[in-house]
Amino acid sequence: MSSLDRKTILRTGVATELTRGHTAVRVWTLQVVGADPPQEVAMGARPVVVGAHRECELILADPQVSRRHAELSATPEGVRVRDLGSTNGTWWQGSRVTEVVVKSGATVKFGGTSVRIGAGGAPTVPPSPRERFGGLVGSSVAMRELFAVLELASPSDATVLIEGESGTGKELAARALHDHSPRARVPLVILECSAISDHLVDSHLFGHVRGAFTGATSDRRGAFAEASGGTLFLDEVGELSREAQTKLLRALEDQTVQPVGSDRRVKVDTRVVAATHRNLAEMVDGGEFRFDLYYRLAVVHVSMPPLRQRPEDLSLLVTHFYEGRGVDPGPIEGDNLARLAAHAWPGNVRELRNVLERAWALSGGGARFADLRLWMQASAAAPAVPAAGGEGPAIDATLPFKDAKERWLEQFERPYLAEVFEACAGNITHAADRAGMSRRHMRALLRKHGIIGE
């Protein structure tokens, strides 16, 4: 697999992003100029600290180098070099700098030692031979590439960022990562960030002591402490406020938390897996999400393939859902499979599961797949309650909050986008400006809902 082996990818925290058909891994190299023997480390999404202390990622045996001299981190523009208050300074192009972004080929001097920064190779991770990983199912190349990265990431303590549309299985991926890790002995802790009001985020994340605020009648450990020794899954992390993002970053960096109302910080040992249906990179560009938190979360970065991009997985998914009911599906090929393949699946695998469950309910529960009457419309779920005022998407009050909210968003997005797109005479740039989003994001949403072609 090119210049870096699998262990190196995880040890150095390389950011991994899946796209259909391939897996790309971005690597930077830090080479000490004139070192004998040669000294070089790889850097991915995880920042690298340069210094004389043995816990630094790049250790320099130079009396002019401070214990923690500088921190280097990857950015879309290059490598950010930040001096950490060193005694003898960080130098670039003859000038002492406190913070600078440099390109590949730059040489930065720490004390009396020069380090050359280069763009490394982009090794690929071969697709996994397996067709299942935890609760995830798929034989397509996109899913087997996803499984390959999850297999590598599971045994490590690297933070993982999972992006993907609603219904693609982000929570299943998080559970699979946890269950295949040495931390599986501790239950996975799940925190739904979008369901917490801003003034209670600190309490849910970090805990509180009795009397910290009105209603705090007893101590609360908080999600980080509850997951200590295990894994914390932060679902919809993109919904956190900027203030909460800052506190989350510190907890990730220090592995300590300070409960609300307490005057001391508590040590934890918590691995974090985060997920979002939003595009965090675009949120960073728009100032909605902290740049440094994004790169701290995206040590391993995976995107869940939408179901419409992997129709070859439909038969395996149908078999999987039948197996869960202990029923023989019979032959999968035929008219029903063709109907599934022709559907756009805006709700992804969750929508497929709901379609099958409704068909089972109407057939008495034991029908084979070829005999099912499939109804692939929004009304395939339980009866919906009209929204307040009788306008807008329907609200399904029979679903849990998270699923109901995602269903509401799915019903809202397409008519809104279609109306904006039509009002702008089919001009994507004008539609994006009107909607207050980037052109790239607008195009992706229009394609998602079939308003424009691929």
PDB file of all heavy atoms in Angstrom, residues 1 9-10 13-19 22-27 44-46 123-125 145-146 148-150 152-153 159-163 294 297-303:
ATOM      1  N   MET A   1       0.826  -1.193   0.000  1.00  0.00           N
ATOM      2  CA  MET A   1       0.000   0.000   0.000  1.00  0.00           C
ATOM      3  C   MET A   1       0.863   1.246   0.000  1.00  0.00           C
ATOM      4  O   MET A   1       0.783   2.096   0.865  1.00  0.00           O
ATOM      5  CB  MET A   1      -1.019  -0.008   1.138  1.00  0.00           C
ATOM      6  CG  MET A   1      -0.479  -0.109   2.546  1.00  0.00           C
ATOM      7  SD  MET A   1      -1.787  -0.107   3.787  1.00  0.00           S
ATOM      8  CE  MET A   1      -2.334   1.572   3.698  1.00  0.00           C
ATOM      9  N   ILE A   9      -0.375   4.557   9.249  1.00  0.00           N
ATOM     10  CA  ILE A   9      -1.541   5.395   8.985  1.00  0.00           C
ATOM     11  C   ILE A   9      -2.267   5.726  10.273  1.00  0.00           C
ATOM     12  O   ILE A   9      -2.635   6.865  10.526  1.00  0.00           O
ATOM     13  CB  ILE A   9      -2.490   4.695   8.001  1.00  0.00           C
ATOM     14  CG1 ILE A   9      -1.869   4.701   6.602  1.00  0.00           C
ATOM     15  CG2 ILE A   9      -3.846   5.368   7.966  1.00  0.00           C
ATOM     16  CD1 ILE A   9      -2.693   3.989   5.564  1.00  0.00           C
ATOM     17  N   LEU A  10      -2.460   4.731  11.136  1.00  0.00           N
ATOM     18  CA  LEU A  10      -3.194   5.000  12.366  1.00  0.00           C
ATOM     19  C   LEU A  10      -2.318   5.662  13.414  1.00  0.00           C
ATOM     20  O   LEU A  10      -2.750   6.540  14.144  1.00  0.00           O
ATOM     21  CB  LEU A  10      -3.774   3.695  12.913  1.00  0.00           C
ATOM     22  CG  LEU A  10      -4.900   3.132  12.032  1.00  0.00           C
ATOM     23  CD1 LEU A  10      -5.369   1.801  12.570  1.00  0.00           C
ATOM     24  CD2 LEU A  10      -6.061   4.100  11.963  1.00  0.00           C
ATOM     25  N   GLY A  13      -2.092   9.326  12.777  1.00  0.00           N
ATOM     26  CA  GLY A  13      -3.332  10.069  12.728  1.00  0.00           C
ATOM     27  C   GLY A  13      -3.635  10.656  11.370  1.00  0.00           C
ATOM     28  O   GLY A  13      -4.047  11.791  11.253  1.00  0.00           O
ATOM     29  N   VAL A  14      -3.445   9.892  10.328  1.00  0.00           N
ATOM     30  CA  VAL A  14      -3.696  10.397   8.983  1.00  0.00           C
ATOM     31  C   VAL A  14      -5.196  10.557   8.775  1.00  0.00           C
ATOM     32  O   VAL A  14      -5.978   9.686   9.105  1.00  0.00           O
ATOM     33  CB  VAL A  14      -3.120   9.411   7.941  1.00  0.00           C
ATOM     34  CG1 VAL A  14      -3.514   9.819   6.543  1.00  0.00           C
ATOM     35  CG2 VAL A  14      -1.611   9.354   8.059  1.00  0.00           C
ATOM     36  N   ALA A  15      -5.603  11.684   8.212  1.00  0.00           N
ATOM     37  CA  ALA A  15      -7.014  11.912   7.913  1.00  0.00           C
ATOM     38  C   ALA A  15      -7.396  11.095   6.705  1.00  0.00           C
ATOM     39  O   ALA A  15      -6.743  11.151   5.678  1.00  0.00           O
ATOM     40  CB  ALA A  15      -7.263  13.392   7.641  1.00  0.00           C
ATOM     41  N   THR A  16      -8.451  10.318   6.805  1.00  0.00           N
ATOM     42  CA  THR A  16      -8.884   9.460   5.732  1.00  0.00           C
ATOM     43  C   THR A  16     -10.274   9.865   5.290  1.00  0.00           C
ATOM     44  O   THR A  16     -11.163   9.957   6.096  1.00  0.00           O
ATOM     45  CB  THR A  16      -8.903   7.986   6.208  1.00  0.00           C
ATOM     46  OG1 THR A  16      -7.635   7.680   6.742  1.00  0.00           O
ATOM     47  CG2 THR A  16      -9.240   7.037   5.083  1.00  0.00           C
ATOM     48  N   GLU A  17     -10.466  10.091   3.990  1.00  0.00           N
ATOM     49  CA  GLU A  17     -11.772  10.472   3.475  1.00  0.00           C
ATOM     50  C   GLU A  17     -12.161   9.532   2.352  1.00  0.00           C
ATOM     51  O   GLU A  17     -11.410   9.321   1.418  1.00  0.00           O
ATOM     52  CB  GLU A  17     -11.756  11.912   2.956  1.00  0.00           C
ATOM     53  CG  GLU A  17     -13.115  12.356   2.463  1.00  0.00           C
ATOM     54  CD  GLU A  17     -13.165  13.835   2.178  1.00  0.00           C
ATOM     55  OE1 GLU A  17     -12.125  14.505   2.314  1.00  0.00           O
ATOM     56  OE2 GLU A  17     -14.235  14.307   1.812  1.00  0.00           O
ATOM     57  N   LEU A  18     -13.359   8.938   2.490  1.00  0.00           N
ATOM     58  CA  LEU A  18     -13.829   7.998   1.490  1.00  0.00           C
ATOM     59  C   LEU A  18     -14.621   8.725   0.417  1.00  0.00           C
ATOM     60  O   LEU A  18     -15.437   9.581   0.705  1.00  0.00           O
ATOM     61  CB  LEU A  18     -14.751   6.961   2.129  1.00  0.00           C
ATOM     62  CG  LEU A  18     -14.133   6.076   3.211  1.00  0.00           C
ATOM     63  CD1 LEU A  18     -15.131   5.019   3.604  1.00  0.00           C
ATOM     64  CD2 LEU A  18     -12.851   5.447   2.757  1.00  0.00           C
ATOM     65  N   THR A  19     -14.368   8.390  -0.831  1.00  0.00           N
ATOM     66  CA  THR A  19     -15.215   8.820  -1.926  1.00  0.00           C
ATOM     67  C   THR A  19     -15.554   7.586  -2.735  1.00  0.00           C
ATOM     68  O   THR A  19     -14.901   6.551  -2.600  1.00  0.00           O
ATOM     69  CB  THR A  19     -14.501   9.845  -2.824  1.00  0.00           C
ATOM     70  OG1 THR A  19     -13.294   9.254  -3.303  1.00  0.00           O
ATOM     71  CG2 THR A  19     -14.156  11.099  -2.043  1.00  0.00           C
ATOM     72  N   HIS A  22     -12.735   5.000  -4.343  1.00  0.00           N
ATOM     73  CA  HIS A  22     -11.361   5.003  -3.853  1.00  0.00           C
ATOM     74  C   HIS A  22     -11.306   5.581  -2.447  1.00  0.00           C
ATOM     75  O   HIS A  22     -12.222   6.203  -1.973  1.00  0.00           O
ATOM     76  CB  HIS A  22     -10.435   5.805  -4.766  1.00  0.00           C
ATOM     77  CG  HIS A  22     -10.642   7.285  -4.670  1.00  0.00           C
ATOM     78  ND1 HIS A  22     -11.673   7.922  -5.316  1.00  0.00           N
ATOM     79  CD2 HIS A  22      -9.958   8.242  -3.996  1.00  0.00           C
ATOM     80  CE1 HIS A  22     -11.619   9.225  -5.061  1.00  0.00           C
ATOM     81  NE2 HIS A  22     -10.597   9.439  -4.268  1.00  0.00           N
ATOM     82  N   THR A  23     -10.176   5.350  -1.764  1.00  0.00           N
ATOM     83  CA  THR A  23      -9.941   5.890  -0.439  1.00  0.00           C
ATOM     84  C   THR A  23      -8.633   6.649  -0.475  1.00  0.00           C
ATOM     85  O   THR A  23      -7.583   6.078  -0.734  1.00  0.00           O
ATOM     86  CB  THR A  23      -9.826   4.750   0.608  1.00  0.00           C
ATOM     87  OG1 THR A  23     -10.997   3.956   0.532  1.00  0.00           O
ATOM     88  CG2 THR A  23      -9.668   5.309   1.996  1.00  0.00           C
ATOM     89  N   ALA A  24      -8.680   7.943  -0.229  1.00  0.00           N
ATOM     90  CA  ALA A  24      -7.479   8.772  -0.295  1.00  0.00           C
ATOM     91  C   ALA A  24      -6.990   9.117   1.097  1.00  0.00           C
ATOM     92  O   ALA A  24      -7.771   9.374   1.984  1.00  0.00           O
ATOM     93  CB  ALA A  24      -7.767  10.059  -1.060  1.00  0.00           C
ATOM     94  N   VAL A  25      -5.681   9.083   1.285  1.00  0.00           N
ATOM     95  CA  VAL A  25      -5.086   9.395   2.572  1.00  0.00           C
ATOM     96  C   VAL A  25      -4.052  10.492   2.380  1.00  0.00           C
ATOM     97  O   VAL A  25      -3.102  10.324   1.621  1.00  0.00           O
ATOM     98  CB  VAL A  25      -4.408   8.136   3.183  1.00  0.00           C
ATOM     99  CG1 VAL A  25      -3.853   8.450   4.549  1.00  0.00           C
ATOM    100  CG2 VAL A  25      -5.394   6.990   3.252  1.00  0.00           C
ATOM    101  N   ARG A  26      -4.240  11.630   3.038  1.00  0.00           N
ATOM    102  CA  ARG A  26      -3.348  12.773   2.891  1.00  0.00           C
ATOM    103  C   ARG A  26      -2.280  12.722   3.974  1.00  0.00           C
ATOM    104  O   ARG A  26      -2.588  12.606   5.152  1.00  0.00           O
ATOM    105  CB  ARG A  26      -4.139  14.070   3.012  1.00  0.00           C
ATOM    106  CG  ARG A  26      -3.298  15.336   2.940  1.00  0.00           C
ATOM    107  CD  ARG A  26      -2.625  15.472   1.581  1.00  0.00           C
ATOM    108  NE  ARG A  26      -2.083  16.810   1.379  1.00  0.00           N
ATOM    109  CZ  ARG A  26      -1.336  17.153   0.365  1.00  0.00           C
ATOM    110  NH1 ARG A  26      -1.040  16.262  -0.555  1.00  0.00           N
ATOM    111  NH2 ARG A  26      -0.873  18.372   0.231  1.00  0.00           N
ATOM    112  N   VAL A  27      -1.018  12.806   3.567  1.00  0.00           N
ATOM    113  CA  VAL A  27       0.099  12.700   4.500  1.00  0.00           C
ATOM    114  C   VAL A  27       1.080  13.846   4.268  1.00  0.00           C
ATOM    115  O   VAL A  27       1.375  14.202   3.121  1.00  0.00           O
ATOM    116  CB  VAL A  27       0.846  11.352   4.304  1.00  0.00           C
ATOM    117  CG1 VAL A  27       1.948  11.209   5.347  1.00  0.00           C
ATOM    118  CG2 VAL A  27      -0.117  10.187   4.367  1.00  0.00           C
ATOM    119  N   GLY A  44      -0.636  13.607   9.744  1.00  0.00           N
ATOM    120  CA  GLY A  44      -1.928  13.669   9.083  1.00  0.00           C
ATOM    121  C   GLY A  44      -2.788  14.722   9.746  1.00  0.00           C
ATOM    122  O   GLY A  44      -2.374  15.853   9.950  1.00  0.00           O
ATOM    123  N   ALA A  45      -4.022  14.367  10.100  1.00  0.00           N
ATOM    124  CA  ALA A  45      -4.931  15.347  10.698  1.00  0.00           C
ATOM    125  C   ALA A  45      -4.554  15.674  12.139  1.00  0.00           C
ATOM    126  O   ALA A  45      -4.842  16.758  12.629  1.00  0.00           O
ATOM    127  CB  ALA A  45      -6.367  14.822  10.655  1.00  0.00           C
ATOM    128  N   ARG A  46      -3.900  14.730  12.817  1.00  0.00           N
ATOM    129  CA  ARG A  46      -3.540  14.977  14.217  1.00  0.00           C
ATOM    130  C   ARG A  46      -2.321  15.900  14.277  1.00  0.00           C
ATOM    131  O   ARG A  46      -1.302  15.648  13.639  1.00  0.00           O
ATOM    132  CB  ARG A  46      -3.220  13.655  14.909  1.00  0.00           C
ATOM    133  CG  ARG A  46      -2.815  13.804  16.367  1.00  0.00           C
ATOM    134  CD  ARG A  46      -2.580  12.448  16.996  1.00  0.00           C
ATOM    135  NE  ARG A  46      -3.812  11.695  17.053  1.00  0.00           N
ATOM    136  CZ  ARG A  46      -3.879  10.411  17.418  1.00  0.00           C
ATOM    137  NH1 ARG A  46      -2.778   9.768  17.727  1.00  0.00           N
ATOM    138  NH2 ARG A  46      -5.045   9.795  17.461  1.00  0.00           N
ATOM    139  N   PRO A 123      -1.233   6.897  -0.097  1.00  0.00           N
ATOM    140  CA  PRO A 123      -1.440   5.460  -0.205  1.00  0.00           C
ATOM    141  C   PRO A 123      -2.925   5.124  -0.157  1.00  0.00           C
ATOM    142  O   PRO A 123      -3.714   5.883   0.367  1.00  0.00           O
ATOM    143  CB  PRO A 123      -0.714   4.904   1.023  1.00  0.00           C
ATOM    144  CG  PRO A 123      -0.715   6.024   2.002  1.00  0.00           C
ATOM    145  CD  PRO A 123      -0.618   7.277   1.189  1.00  0.00           C
ATOM    146  N   THR A 124      -3.287   4.006  -0.725  1.00  0.00           N
ATOM    147  CA  THR A 124      -4.680   3.591  -0.702  1.00  0.00           C
ATOM    148  C   THR A 124      -4.846   2.390   0.209  1.00  0.00           C
ATOM    149  O   THR A 124      -3.942   1.575   0.380  1.00  0.00           O
ATOM    150  CB  THR A 124      -5.167   3.226  -2.108  1.00  0.00           C
ATOM    151  OG1 THR A 124      -4.323   2.194  -2.623  1.00  0.00           O
ATOM    152  CG2 THR A 124      -5.121   4.436  -3.030  1.00  0.00           C
ATOM    153  N   VAL A 125      -6.025   2.302   0.810  1.00  0.00           N
ATOM    154  CA  VAL A 125      -6.352   1.170   1.663  1.00  0.00           C
ATOM    155  C   VAL A 125      -7.165   0.191   0.823  1.00  0.00           C
ATOM    156  O   VAL A 125      -8.241   0.547   0.344  1.00  0.00           O
ATOM    157  CB  VAL A 125      -7.161   1.624   2.887  1.00  0.00           C
ATOM    158  CG1 VAL A 125      -7.520   0.430   3.756  1.00  0.00           C
ATOM    159  CG2 VAL A 125      -6.385   2.663   3.677  1.00  0.00           C
ATOM    160  N   GLU A 145     -14.544  -0.589   1.093  1.00  0.00           N
ATOM    161  CA  GLU A 145     -13.508   0.392   1.428  1.00  0.00           C
ATOM    162  C   GLU A 145     -13.766   0.992   2.803  1.00  0.00           C
ATOM    163  O   GLU A 145     -12.840   1.199   3.594  1.00  0.00           O
ATOM    164  CB  GLU A 145     -13.464   1.488   0.373  1.00  0.00           C
ATOM    165  CG  GLU A 145     -12.843   1.061  -0.938  1.00  0.00           C
ATOM    166  CD  GLU A 145     -12.801   2.193  -1.949  1.00  0.00           C
ATOM    167  OE1 GLU A 145     -13.622   3.128  -1.844  1.00  0.00           O
ATOM    168  OE2 GLU A 145     -11.936   2.154  -2.839  1.00  0.00           O
ATOM    169  N   LEU A 146     -15.024   1.273   3.070  1.00  0.00           N
ATOM    170  CA  LEU A 146     -15.393   1.776   4.392  1.00  0.00           C
ATOM    171  C   LEU A 146     -15.021   0.770   5.467  1.00  0.00           C
ATOM    172  O   LEU A 146     -14.415   1.120   6.495  1.00  0.00           O
ATOM    173  CB  LEU A 146     -16.895   2.063   4.426  1.00  0.00           C
ATOM    174  CG  LEU A 146     -17.491   2.412   5.795  1.00  0.00           C
ATOM    175  CD1 LEU A 146     -16.936   3.740   6.292  1.00  0.00           C
ATOM    176  CD2 LEU A 146     -19.004   2.466   5.716  1.00  0.00           C
ATOM    177  N   ALA A 148     -12.717  -1.447   5.385  1.00  0.00           N
ATOM    178  CA  ALA A 148     -11.255  -1.520   5.517  1.00  0.00           C
ATOM    179  C   ALA A 148     -10.733  -0.444   6.455  1.00  0.00           C
ATOM    180  O   ALA A 148      -9.866  -0.704   7.303  1.00  0.00           O
ATOM    181  CB  ALA A 148     -10.603  -1.390   4.144  1.00  0.00           C
ATOM    182  N   VAL A 149     -11.252   0.772   6.321  1.00  0.00           N
ATOM    183  CA  VAL A 149     -10.795   1.854   7.190  1.00  0.00           C
ATOM    184  C   VAL A 149     -11.275   1.641   8.614  1.00  0.00           C
ATOM    185  O   VAL A 149     -10.528   1.846   9.585  1.00  0.00           O
ATOM    186  CB  VAL A 149     -11.273   3.219   6.647  1.00  0.00           C
ATOM    187  CG1 VAL A 149     -10.888   4.342   7.606  1.00  0.00           C
ATOM    188  CG2 VAL A 149     -10.656   3.485   5.279  1.00  0.00           C
ATOM    189  N   LEU A 150     -12.523   1.198   8.786  1.00  0.00           N
ATOM    190  CA  LEU A 150     -13.039   0.944  10.133  1.00  0.00           C
ATOM    191  C   LEU A 150     -12.261  -0.178  10.820  1.00  0.00           C
ATOM    192  O   LEU A 150     -12.024  -0.137  12.029  1.00  0.00           O
ATOM    193  CB  LEU A 150     -14.526   0.602  10.073  1.00  0.00           C
ATOM    194  CG  LEU A 150     -15.460   1.710   9.561  1.00  0.00           C
ATOM    195  CD1 LEU A 150     -16.907   1.228   9.557  1.00  0.00           C
ATOM    196  CD2 LEU A 150     -15.317   2.981  10.388  1.00  0.00           C
ATOM    197  N   LEU A 152      -9.120  -0.836  10.405  1.00  0.00           N
ATOM    198  CA  LEU A 152      -7.844  -0.269  10.835  1.00  0.00           C
ATOM    199  C   LEU A 152      -8.022   0.634  12.044  1.00  0.00           C
ATOM    200  O   LEU A 152      -7.202   0.652  12.960  1.00  0.00           O
ATOM    201  CB  LEU A 152      -7.230   0.541   9.691  1.00  0.00           C
ATOM    202  CG  LEU A 152      -6.739  -0.222   8.463  1.00  0.00           C
ATOM    203  CD1 LEU A 152      -6.246   0.753   7.409  1.00  0.00           C
ATOM    204  CD2 LEU A 152      -5.649  -1.203   8.840  1.00  0.00           C
ATOM    205  N   ALA A 153      -9.099   1.404  12.046  1.00  0.00           N
ATOM    206  CA  ALA A 153      -9.295   2.396  13.097  1.00  0.00           C
ATOM    207  C   ALA A 153      -9.753   1.776  14.410  1.00  0.00           C
ATOM    208  O   ALA A 153      -9.448   2.299  15.489  1.00  0.00           O
ATOM    209  CB  ALA A 153     -10.307   3.440  12.637  1.00  0.00           C
ATOM    210  N   THR A 159      -9.507   9.459  17.294  1.00  0.00           N
ATOM    211  CA  THR A 159     -10.858   9.980  17.138  1.00  0.00           C
ATOM    212  C   THR A 159     -11.291   9.783  15.688  1.00  0.00           C
ATOM    213  O   THR A 159     -10.476   9.807  14.769  1.00  0.00           O
ATOM    214  CB  THR A 159     -10.919  11.473  17.503  1.00  0.00           C
ATOM    215  OG1 THR A 159      -9.942  12.183  16.742  1.00  0.00           O
ATOM    216  CG2 THR A 159     -10.663  11.691  18.982  1.00  0.00           C
ATOM    217  N   VAL A 160     -12.582   9.583  15.510  1.00  0.00           N
ATOM    218  CA  VAL A 160     -13.125   9.300  14.185  1.00  0.00           C
ATOM    219  C   VAL A 160     -14.285  10.255  13.922  1.00  0.00           C
ATOM    220  O   VAL A 160     -15.152  10.431  14.780  1.00  0.00           O
ATOM    221  CB  VAL A 160     -13.612   7.843  14.068  1.00  0.00           C
ATOM    222  CG1 VAL A 160     -14.177   7.563  12.676  1.00  0.00           C
ATOM    223  CG2 VAL A 160     -12.477   6.870  14.384  1.00  0.00           C
ATOM    224  N   LEU A 161     -14.295  10.859  12.750  1.00  0.00           N
ATOM    225  CA  LEU A 161     -15.414  11.692  12.311  1.00  0.00           C
ATOM    226  C   LEU A 161     -16.148  10.961  11.200  1.00  0.00           C
ATOM    227  O   LEU A 161     -15.559  10.613  10.177  1.00  0.00           O
ATOM    228  CB  LEU A 161     -14.918  13.044  11.808  1.00  0.00           C
ATOM    229  CG  LEU A 161     -15.994  13.979  11.236  1.00  0.00           C
ATOM    230  CD1 LEU A 161     -17.020  14.338  12.310  1.00  0.00           C
ATOM    231  CD2 LEU A 161     -15.368  15.247  10.659  1.00  0.00           C
ATOM    232  N   ILE A 162     -17.445  10.736  11.418  1.00  0.00           N
ATOM    233  CA  ILE A 162     -18.277  10.026  10.448  1.00  0.00           C
ATOM    234  C   ILE A 162     -19.272  11.022   9.868  1.00  0.00           C
ATOM    235  O   ILE A 162     -20.099  11.573  10.602  1.00  0.00           O
ATOM    236  CB  ILE A 162     -19.034   8.854  11.100  1.00  0.00           C
ATOM    237  CG1 ILE A 162     -18.062   7.916  11.823  1.00  0.00           C
ATOM    238  CG2 ILE A 162     -19.844   8.099  10.065  1.00  0.00           C
ATOM    239  CD1 ILE A 162     -18.753   6.882  12.698  1.00  0.00           C
ATOM    240  N   GLU A 163     -19.176  11.263   8.572  1.00  0.00           N
ATOM    241  CA  GLU A 163     -20.126  12.145   7.907  1.00  0.00           C
ATOM    242  C   GLU A 163     -21.007  11.328   6.976  1.00  0.00           C
ATOM    243  O   GLU A 163     -20.563  10.323   6.419  1.00  0.00           O
ATOM    244  CB  GLU A 163     -19.402  13.247   7.131  1.00  0.00           C
ATOM    245  CG  GLU A 163     -18.694  14.242   8.039  1.00  0.00           C
ATOM    246  CD  GLU A 163     -18.145  15.442   7.291  1.00  0.00           C
ATOM    247  OE1 GLU A 163     -17.776  15.297   6.105  1.00  0.00           O
ATOM    248  OE2 GLU A 163     -18.078  16.526   7.890  1.00  0.00           O
ATOM    249  N   TYR A 294     -12.308  20.642  14.199  1.00  0.00           N
ATOM    250  CA  TYR A 294     -12.558  19.799  13.029  1.00  0.00           C
ATOM    251  C   TYR A 294     -11.386  18.854  12.791  1.00  0.00           C
ATOM    252  O   TYR A 294     -11.571  17.641  12.616  1.00  0.00           O
ATOM    253  CB  TYR A 294     -12.798  20.672  11.798  1.00  0.00           C
ATOM    254  CG  TYR A 294     -12.883  19.896  10.505  1.00  0.00           C
ATOM    255  CD1 TYR A 294     -14.022  19.148  10.198  1.00  0.00           C
ATOM    256  CD2 TYR A 294     -11.825  19.898   9.600  1.00  0.00           C
ATOM    257  CE1 TYR A 294     -14.106  18.432   9.009  1.00  0.00           C
ATOM    258  CE2 TYR A 294     -11.902  19.186   8.403  1.00  0.00           C
ATOM    259  CZ  TYR A 294     -13.047  18.459   8.124  1.00  0.00           C
ATOM    260  OH  TYR A 294     -13.122  17.744   6.956  1.00  0.00           O
ATOM    261  N   LEU A 297     -11.089  16.188  15.507  1.00  0.00           N
ATOM    262  CA  LEU A 297     -12.054  15.098  15.373  1.00  0.00           C
ATOM    263  C   LEU A 297     -11.738  14.203  14.187  1.00  0.00           C
ATOM    264  O   LEU A 297     -11.927  12.987  14.234  1.00  0.00           O
ATOM    265  CB  LEU A 297     -13.467  15.664  15.218  1.00  0.00           C
ATOM    266  CG  LEU A 297     -14.096  16.341  16.428  1.00  0.00           C
ATOM    267  CD1 LEU A 297     -15.410  17.010  16.040  1.00  0.00           C
ATOM    268  CD2 LEU A 297     -14.323  15.346  17.562  1.00  0.00           C
ATOM    269  N   ALA A 298     -11.266  14.804  13.098  1.00  0.00           N
ATOM    270  CA  ALA A 298     -11.075  14.072  11.838  1.00  0.00           C
ATOM    271  C   ALA A 298      -9.711  13.420  11.750  1.00  0.00           C
ATOM    272  O   ALA A 298      -9.072  13.442  10.695  1.00  0.00           O
ATOM    273  CB  ALA A 298     -11.292  15.012  10.661  1.00  0.00           C
ATOM    274  N   VAL A 299      -9.241  12.819  12.836  1.00  0.00           N
ATOM    275  CA  VAL A 299      -8.005  12.033  12.752  1.00  0.00           C
ATOM    276  C   VAL A 299      -8.220  10.901  11.752  1.00  0.00           C
ATOM    277  O   VAL A 299      -7.384  10.631  10.894  1.00  0.00           O
ATOM    278  CB  VAL A 299      -7.608  11.497  14.143  1.00  0.00           C
ATOM    279  CG1 VAL A 299      -6.452  10.513  14.041  1.00  0.00           C
ATOM    280  CG2 VAL A 299      -7.238  12.655  15.062  1.00  0.00           C
ATOM    281  N   VAL A 300      -9.348  10.226  11.870  1.00  0.00           N
ATOM    282  CA  VAL A 300      -9.815   9.321  10.827  1.00  0.00           C
ATOM    283  C   VAL A 300     -11.162   9.861  10.375  1.00  0.00           C
ATOM    284  O   VAL A 300     -12.050  10.082  11.185  1.00  0.00           O
ATOM    285  CB  VAL A 300      -9.952   7.873  11.325  1.00  0.00           C
ATOM    286  CG1 VAL A 300     -10.490   6.976  10.217  1.00  0.00           C
ATOM    287  CG2 VAL A 300      -8.611   7.344  11.837  1.00  0.00           C
ATOM    288  N   HIS A 301     -11.308  10.099   9.098  1.00  0.00           N
ATOM    289  CA  HIS A 301     -12.487  10.780   8.543  1.00  0.00           C
ATOM    290  C   HIS A 301     -13.118   9.885   7.499  1.00  0.00           C
ATOM    291  O   HIS A 301     -12.494   9.576   6.489  1.00  0.00           O
ATOM    292  CB  HIS A 301     -12.048  12.111   7.923  1.00  0.00           C
ATOM    293  CG  HIS A 301     -13.172  12.936   7.387  1.00  0.00           C
ATOM    294  ND1 HIS A 301     -12.962  14.096   6.684  1.00  0.00           N
ATOM    295  CD2 HIS A 301     -14.520  12.777   7.445  1.00  0.00           C
ATOM    296  CE1 HIS A 301     -14.128  14.625   6.345  1.00  0.00           C
ATOM    297  NE2 HIS A 301     -15.080  13.830   6.786  1.00  0.00           N
ATOM    298  N   VAL A 302     -14.343   9.442   7.744  1.00  0.00           N
ATOM    299  CA  VAL A 302     -15.026   8.577   6.791  1.00  0.00           C
ATOM    300  C   VAL A 302     -16.368   9.181   6.398  1.00  0.00           C
ATOM    301  O   VAL A 302     -16.994   9.898   7.181  1.00  0.00           O
ATOM    302  CB  VAL A 302     -15.246   7.150   7.351  1.00  0.00           C
ATOM    303  CG1 VAL A 302     -13.929   6.469   7.627  1.00  0.00           C
ATOM    304  CG2 VAL A 302     -16.112   7.172   8.598  1.00  0.00           C
ATOM    305  N   SER A 303     -16.781   8.912   5.183  1.00  0.00           N
ATOM    306  CA  SER A 303     -18.082   9.337   4.687  1.00  0.00           C
ATOM    307  C   SER A 303     -18.906   8.094   4.376  1.00  0.00           C
ATOM    308  O   SER A 303     -18.443   7.195   3.680  1.00  0.00           O
ATOM    309  CB  SER A 303     -17.937  10.192   3.428  1.00  0.00           C
ATOM    310  OG  SER A 303     -17.254  11.384   3.713  1.00  0.00           O
TER     311      SER A 303
END
